[in-house]
Amino acid sequence: MATVRSKDGTTIGYDQVGQGPALVLVDAAGGFRGFGPMGALAAELASSFTVVTYDRRGRGESTDTLPYAIEREVEDLGAVIAAVGGPAFVEGFSSGAVLALYAAGQGLPITKVAMLEPPLDLDGPPDTTLAAELTELVSAGRRGDAVLHFHTSIGVPEEITAGMRHAPFWPELEKLAHTLVYDTTITSTLTTAQVRGITVPTLVVNSEETDDRLRGWATHVAATLPNGEHRQLKGEWHGVSPEVLAPVLTEFFLSKSRRSPRS
């Protein structure tokens, strides 16, 4: 593991594997280098890219600095890109995809973005209710309840949440409960006008087995972006396996029709 210091002093832990142009993977809510799909995806992509995975602030081996602001997470991603000699491609999953898009809009040296099922509703007004509810639960010491409330509220199927408290990874999820507020803040921030102003080439992907809401959001975001494209891939609810996703990402990022960052 390597570390880099973000602008506000937060220490961000990261790993890199492979060789080639830099590609940074941004985790979803509750994900970090020790938990989630990014490790397996990095292994699939390592033959074509220098793939970077990192712990977003407040997770894994990264520290945290309060008060939270989305701009600080953008600075974290910028610090990671700089540490590996950017510019870089960036791929994000779920709320991590929205963070990646937000960062591209803020002018970070991101050449292309890929997004897997961004929970970004461009039709309705920003919803801050969930963030407030999670903050209240965490402040009351009910971190486990906050985790379950988050997953239920975002539509995770009951068959997934039913045994969650008894899963071996449950203690890690409880530790990260406060960061769920960060993710809900990120996903309620970008407006349609802001998305229309992001010109970075962007691929938006959804699983063919996901729900209608997530599928609709992916399609709408891709259509709203000036340089967006959409793909639907074989997968499961809110997920596409690394074996299926990696070849599509490789084709998109390395396409000769679009500018690539230096190797």
Side-chain angles (χ1 to χ4, degrees):
M1 184 193 77
T3 62
V4 64
R5 190 172 296 273
S6 193
K7 186 175 180 180
D8 70 349
T10 302
T11 298
I12 303 297
Y14 70 93
D15 291 320
Q16 64 183 66
V17 296
Q19 292 184 337
L23 168 56
V24 180
L25 307 182
V26 186
D27 269 303
F32 61 103
R33 285 176 302 146
F35 177 72
M38 293 308 195
L41 181 58
E44 290 290 329
L45 293 164
S47 60
S48 300
F49 305 94
T50 298
V51 190
V52 182
T53 54
Y54 74 103
D55 293 337
R56 290 170 54 190
R57 62 173 52 210
R59 313 180 189 202
E61 297 183 64
S62 292
T63 61
D64 204 354
T65 305
L66 299 177
Y68 177 77
I70 298 171
E71 290 75 14
R72 303 294 83 77
E73 283 231 58
V74 171
E75 291 168 357
D76 298 345
L77 178 53
V80 171
I81 292 173
V84 297
F89 302 128
V90 176
E91 191 272 345
F93 172 36
S94 195
S95 55
V98 182
L99 175 59
L101 189 62
Y102 193 101
Q106 292 296 304
L108 262 63
I110 297 172
T111 309
K112 298 182 187 179
V113 174
M115 309 171 73
L116 176 57
E117 299 202 347
L120 187 56
D121 183 2
L122 298 177
D123 290 324
D127 183 6
T128 59
T129 303
L130 181 55
E133 292 169 346
L134 294 173
T135 298
E136 183 176 351
L137 288 170
V138 172
S139 298
R142 298 170 57 190
R143 302 180 72 86
D145 290 340
V147 173
L148 286 180
H149 182 58
F150 172 80
H151 285 85
T152 301
S153 298
I154 66 172
V156 177
E158 185 177 355
E159 58 266 26
I160 297 176
T161 61
M164 191 174 286
R165 283 188 184 270
H166 306 292
F169 53 78
W170 178 254
E172 292 295 335
L173 292 184
E174 283 194 320
K175 288 180 185 177
L176 301 177
H178 64 289
T179 68
L180 299 177
V181 179
Y182 303 172
D183 288 280
T184 56
T185 301
I186 291 168
T187 57
S188 63
T189 297
L190 280 176
T191 65
T192 299
Q194 288 173 307
V195 172
R196 284 176 178 157
I198 299 172
T199 59
V200 174
T202 304
L203 172 67
V204 188
V205 176
N206 69 264
S207 164
E208 63 185 19
E209 296 298 327
T210 203
D211 60 57
D212 290 341
R213 182 182 57 168
L214 287 165
R215 184 182 298 108
W217 288 344
T219 303
H220 191 185
V221 169
T224 303
L225 286 160
N227 205 358
E229 57 184 281
H230 174 254
R231 290 284 302 273
Q232 179 165 282
L233 302 178
K234 181 179 179 180
E236 55 190 4
W237 181 84
H238 202 32
V240 174
S241 73
E243 295 80 10
V244 172
L245 183 59
V248 174
L249 294 179
T250 300
E251 179 185 9
F252 169 68
F253 285 133
L254 298 184
S255 170
K256 297 301 181 182
S257 64
R258 302 187 187 273
R259 184 168 58 89
S260 299
R262 63 178 174 83
S263 300

